[in-house]
Amino acid sequence: MTKLAGSRVLVAGAGVTGRSAAEALLAAGAEVVVTDSSPERLMALETLLEGVELVPGLTEPPAGTSLVVTSPGWQPSSPLLAAAASAGIEVIGEVELAWRMAAELADPPVWLAVTGTNGKTTTVGMLESILHAAGADAVACGNVGLPVVDALLAGRRVLAVELSSFQLHWSPSVRPQAGALLNLAEDHLDWHGGMDAYAQAKARILTGDVAIGWLDDDLVVDLLEASPARDRVGFTLDEPLEGQLGVRDGWLVDRAFADDEPLVEVAKIRPAGPPGIADALAATALARAYGVPSEAVREGLEAFEPAAHRAVLVAVDSSDIRYVNDSKATNPHAAVASLRAFDSVVWIAGGLLKGASVDEMVRTEAHRLRGAVLIGQDRQVIADALARHAPDVPVRVLDTGDDEPMTVAVRAAQELARPGDTVLLAPAAASMDMFTDYAHRGQAFTAAVQELIGR
């Protein structure tokens, strides 16, 4: 490990994680330089970080740089990071920095980590709720919003860490006490360069003491079987075998960390449906790996409330048409899970697919579709898939824009819907072509629904 005190460290990116990494490095006695393509973002740090050198638009590390700490979204091929690699300068992420700093402590915190294409934030929230019910000094951190270095420097004893594939790519030595891989489907292929690299990044979560994986996903099973972990634990929506967690007679059951123990009724898990149940099983497995008793698992899961924009019922109109906001369904895998919660759907979809295929999603879920309203940059890709696999489904393809197209989309969806149908925003794509983020998109949908039905 690079000795931080007295070393010159470059932080690439002046966003939330960049600021936190710079603060942690300053506290460790490093000489810190921060760069970003946005001078405005750098200027925002000027009054917050005394003693840091701020340099816009660097394309190679300054002389004397011994380490680069990058924000997770920066690709290895970016000029600055490629130049660092060519010069033999190590490049790591903020999560890796937190791990190395924790290793220097006499009593480091426990890391319980979660990744997957979908369900990460829900799972880490469930895990945090369970840990709090057990009386643990725990916090959800990482990709959920709170940088891991902030949680570490705050002295929290148990870290429930959500990790994206980007963060895992830049975290070569992180080995959580227990790590869970929820699922695996095409996502971020443009960043990683292909499915194999994406899967291998995700597989790093399984390199700690206890590796946990979803047995209903063949790709996860393969990675779990290849894990070097001391213990490997699977979870399933079916009845569990010995060494597994699963569902039996309407209860979550633990046969991995207990003989055969019912933990919580499925009916009390939120969000309802198979994705929520799978997330609850993963959170339970992580908590049990830490030694949490069954009573805390039940209390924590029953107390958990899902975050916004995740299968939220916005309204039901006078025609008994339901409007559901699942803007967090930012890839086809998530959209499939969302669609399967309903029998008859008018689907609002589209945005940035980032190279993901939609044919299998459309083919398997076409029977649920009353109609589809398509928005965003890759709307025609989805329209073409619908034409191939669901030619009888009415489709409206809208022009791009900002909030106004969402108002038009909701109105068009209402026109296609029939009493008892669900108008579902489950875009299967990222939002940045039209909106700030998925939350902005969900807010636009909610506002459009409320305007349309007068609430």
Side-chain angles (χ1 to χ4, degrees), residues 10 19 44 59 91-92 100 115 117 129 169 192 198 202 211 227 239 246 277 291 295 308 315 357 382 418 427:
L10 173 64
R19 172 186 168 183
T59 56
V91 181
I92 64 172
R100 296 183 184 189
T115 197
T117 303
S129 184
H169 174 89
H192 289 279
Y198 174 64
K202 290 291 191 183
S227 164
E239 185 166 340
I277 297 167
E295 295 83 2
S357 170
I382 303 175
R418 300 290 180 269

Side-chain angles (χ1 to χ4, degrees), residues 323 339 345-351 361 369-380 382-383 386 393-400 404-417 422-429 434 441 445 448 452:
Y323 297 82
L339 287 163
V345 173
V346 178
W347 181 33
I348 300 177
M361 168 184 63
L369 300 180
R370 174 81 67 186
V373 179
L374 305 179
I375 62 175
Q377 179 174 305
D378 290 331
R379 60 197 183 280
Q380 193 58 49
I382 303 175
L386 285 162
V393 172
V395 177
R396 307 276 179 88
V397 180
L398 305 184
D399 290 334
T400 58
E404 179 59 26
M406 187 62 80
T407 301
V408 176
V410 170
R411 187 176 297 119
Q414 185 190 52
E415 292 171 358
L416 291 172
T422 298
V423 172
L424 174 66
L425 175 67
M434 297 174 67
R441 179 171 59 190
F445 173 80
L452 182 67

Side-chain angles (χ1 to χ4, degrees), residues 104 175 203 220 245 365 382 389:
E104 299 296 313
R175 303 288 184 269
V220 173
L245 293 89
E365 307 309 318
I382 303 175
H389 302 293

Side-chain angles (χ1 to χ4, degrees), residues 85-352:
S86 296
I89 300 170
E90 187 179 20
V91 181
I92 64 172
E94 170 265 330
V95 175
E96 176 75 10
L97 176 65
W99 177 260
R100 296 183 184 189
M101 293 178 70
E104 299 296 313
L105 300 176
D107 185 19
V110 170
W111 290 48
L112 305 174
V114 179
T115 197
T117 303
N118 300 297
K120 298 183 293 296
T121 301
T122 298
T123 302
V124 81
M126 289 175 166
L127 175 59
E128 181 187 53
S129 184
I130 293 170
L131 292 167
H132 286 171
D137 177 20
V139 66
C141 56
N143 196 54
V144 72
L146 175 68
V148 184
V149 290
D150 287 355
L152 176 71
L153 294 178
R156 307 307 287 267
R157 301 304 308 141
V158 185
L159 308 183
V161 188
E162 176 188 335
L163 294 176
S164 70
S165 59
F166 305 158
Q167 289 170 314
L168 284 161
H169 174 89
W170 296 118
S171 302
S173 60
V174 170
R175 303 288 184 269
Q177 177 173 318
L181 178 54
L182 305 177
N183 43 59
L184 201 60
E186 289 184 340
D187 199 16
H188 302 304
L189 303 189
D190 51 348
W191 196 97
H192 289 279
M195 189 63 185
D196 287 346
Y198 174 64
Q200 289 308 308
K202 290 291 191 183
R204 288 185 172 180
I205 205 83
L206 303 176
T207 57
D209 294 338
V210 182
I212 298 163
W214 191 27
L215 301 177
D216 300 352
D217 185 319
D218 290 341
L219 293 175
V220 173
V221 170
D222 290 343
L223 295 176
L224 184 63
E225 290 178 348
S227 164
R230 181 195 66 211
D231 298 315
R232 289 174 285 184
V233 174
F235 62 96
T236 173
L237 295 179
D238 294 328
E239 185 166 340
L241 302 176
E242 185 177 352
Q244 301 174 359
L245 293 89
V247 180
R248 184 179 64 226
D249 298 330
W251 285 75
L252 297 196
V253 177
D254 181 4
R255 298 192 65 191
F257 302 96
D259 289 338
D260 193 356
E261 186 174 12
L263 297 172
V264 64
E265 289 183 89
V266 167
K268 294 183 178 179
I269 293 171
R270 295 179 303 276
I277 297 167
D279 295 344
L281 285 163
T284 298
L286 287 163
R288 297 291 267 179
Y290 177 60
V292 169
S294 57
E295 295 83 2
V297 171
R298 176 183 54 77
E299 291 174 12
L301 289 177
E302 290 182 358
F304 174 73
E305 294 289 345
H309 310 294
R310 292 168 174 82
V312 176
L313 176 63
V314 174
V316 182
D317 70 14
S318 59
S319 298
D320 195 32
I321 297 170
R322 298 162 58 88
Y323 297 82
V324 174
N325 169 18
D326 199 2
S327 184
K328 187 61 171 68
T330 56
N331 55 61
H333 188 268
V336 167
S338 189
L339 287 163
R340 287 179 178 174
F342 308 100
D343 294 327
S344 184
V345 173
V346 178
W347 181 33
I348 300 177
L352 294 170

